[in-house]
Amino acid sequence: MPIMDESTPLGAQIARDNRRAQRLATTTFPKPDATRIFTVANQKGGVGKTTTTVNIAAALASQGLRVLVIDIDPQGNASTALGIEHSTEVNSIYDVLIDDLPMEEAVAQCPDIENLHCVPATIDLAGAEIELVSLVAREQRLARSLARYLELRAEAEDRVDYVIIDCPPSLGLLTVNAFVAAREVLIPIQCEYYALEGLSQLLKNIQLIHKHLNPELQVSTILLTMFDGRTNLSSQVAEDVRAHFPRQVLDVAIPRSVRISEAPSYRQTVITYEPNSSGALSYREAAEEISQRGVKSHG
């Protein structure tokens, strides 16, 4: 008798996931030609922004690529998911932005994945919006500090391949700093009603940043999250988003997944918490697609 009956929906799903895991186990992700800097943004809350940041970062790093996550959301959820200490005593992105602390003094190693580092966010960041207003070159502070750090790493022949910045769900000065520092924007879009609402405002703001502060900025990647293949609504939203942004939307959509939701409570990403769950496999495939696109578009 076969161990697994592929004729049942569950059996078919398990068999499919096993094949995906086997393929990923033998796949290598290409290194980009130059450091790629992403800002993960969507001013709508609850779309999977932080989840996407940490899981894409972990998936890339677990393939041997060198990844830096910068957490500029005062809630510090990305720092938590990566197992990084972010009490007010530790050096954080707040000290970098407000006190000109060199970024290398705030970078912490992720305990689970060798090539993954993070600049944590502490609650101090909640007041940074107001403190930034009076500072010189307030929109460029993150960009300048990051450029110096990347130069140091390159000189030490330890080049960073990916920088991924997790933003707060608003369009204040912290998010503007992230947009000015980045070259690419990754927008997670939830496969639910109102998914495209607010997106035109976000795109308008990105255009303004592109025009006045950072001509290199482009929306390169859109990732569909919380996809439920059993509902017409999810499929309809996915179709609409693909019709609007045919080049930017990744082929892989991230499913609704209990494992993805559980992982942060163990101070982990789903990539280390349950690497062969369908949620982790989807994030690993999304990271693979991002890495391959990078070689095509930057090669």
Side-chain angles (χ1 to χ4, degrees):
M1 175 165 167
I3 296 170
M4 195 165 50
D5 181 4
E6 281 197 47
S7 65
T8 66
L10 181 63
Q13 176 69 47
I14 291 167
R16 205 162 44 240
D17 284 353
N18 283 341
R19 285 194 291 272
R20 292 163 76 195
Q22 280 165 358
R23 188 191 67 78
L24 282 161
T26 58
T27 303
T28 51
F29 293 7
K31 260 184 179 306
D33 304 326
T35 303
R36 294 178 71 192
I37 307 171
F38 281 89
T39 283
V40 181
N42 191 332
Q43 75 260 42
K44 206 168 176 295
V47 297
K49 211 165 43 264
T50 299
T51 305
T52 293
T53 299
V54 298
N55 286 305
I56 293 286
L60 290 165
S62 58
Q63 283 281 345
L65 296 163
R66 296 186 181 104
V67 183
L68 174 70
V69 170
I70 300 177
D71 188 358
I72 62 163
D73 184 342
Q75 293 177 64
N77 292 339
S79 310
T80 301
L82 295 174
I84 306 287
E85 175 61 45
H86 59 106
S87 63
T88 47
E89 287 80 57
V90 302
N91 286 344
S92 71
I93 195 66
Y94 172 85
D95 305 292
V96 173
L97 290 173
I98 306 297
D99 298 330
D100 290 320
L101 181 82
M103 191 173 280
E104 62 274 16
E105 292 184 34
V107 170
Q109 163 77 50
C110 174
D112 297 323
I113 301 171
E114 192 185 338
N115 291 319
L116 185 53
H117 291 83
C118 173
V119 182
T122 61
I123 196 64
D124 294 335
L125 206 54
E129 291 278 355
I130 298 158
E131 292 174 75
L132 277 167
V133 171
S134 60
L135 296 180
V136 176
R138 59 192 184 187
E139 294 97 351
Q140 275 95 12
R141 294 181 77 81
L142 180 60
R144 287 177 181 177
S145 182
L146 177 60
R148 280 195 298 269
Y149 174 73
L150 292 176
E151 227 168 84
L152 272 179
R153 289 278 300 261
E155 281 166 14
E157 297 188 356
D158 184 27
R159 190 196 80 180
V160 178
D161 297 307
Y162 286 86
V163 177
I164 306 179
I165 307 169
D166 188 34
C167 291
S170 65
L171 291 162
L173 272 172
L174 290 172
T175 302
V176 170
N177 263 274
F179 282 145
V180 174
R183 297 197 190 99
E184 302 181 54
V185 183
L186 190 168
I187 304 176
I189 295 182
Q190 195 178 356
C191 291
E192 300 217 329
Y193 199 57
Y194 296 135
L196 291 167
E197 197 184 67
L199 196 60
S200 59
Q201 187 56 52
L202 177 64
L203 295 172
K204 227 174 274 173
N205 288 326
I206 291 168
Q207 271 171 346
L208 284 171
I209 304 274
H210 174 86
K211 187 176 172 188
H212 298 290
L213 293 165
N214 181 2
E216 291 189 350
L217 191 66
Q218 52 158 331
V219 176
S220 67
T221 313
I222 291 175
L223 177 64
L224 297 165
T225 62
M226 304 180 200
F227 180 78
D228 186 344
R230 297 165 305 179
T231 69
N232 288 337
L233 179 62
S234 259
S235 305
Q236 187 58 57
V237 170
E239 220 171 277
D240 287 353
V241 176
R242 288 186 195 283
H244 276 84
F245 307 99
R247 286 182 317 118
Q248 289 92 341
V249 183
L250 295 179
D251 295 337
V252 180
I254 307 301
R256 280 200 170 279
S257 152
V258 175
R259 294 287 176 265
I260 291 174
S261 313
E262 276 176 356
S265 60
Y266 293 91
R267 296 178 70 84
Q268 285 188 50
T269 64
V270 75
I271 306 300
T272 53
Y273 174 63
E274 196 75 56
N276 291 331
S277 63
S278 59
L281 292 168
S282 299
Y283 269 119
R284 288 165 67 191
E285 287 168 349
E288 177 185 21
E289 210 179 322
I290 286 168
S291 70
Q292 286 169 343
R293 285 181 170 201
V295 171
K296 282 179 213 153
S297 61
H298 294 74

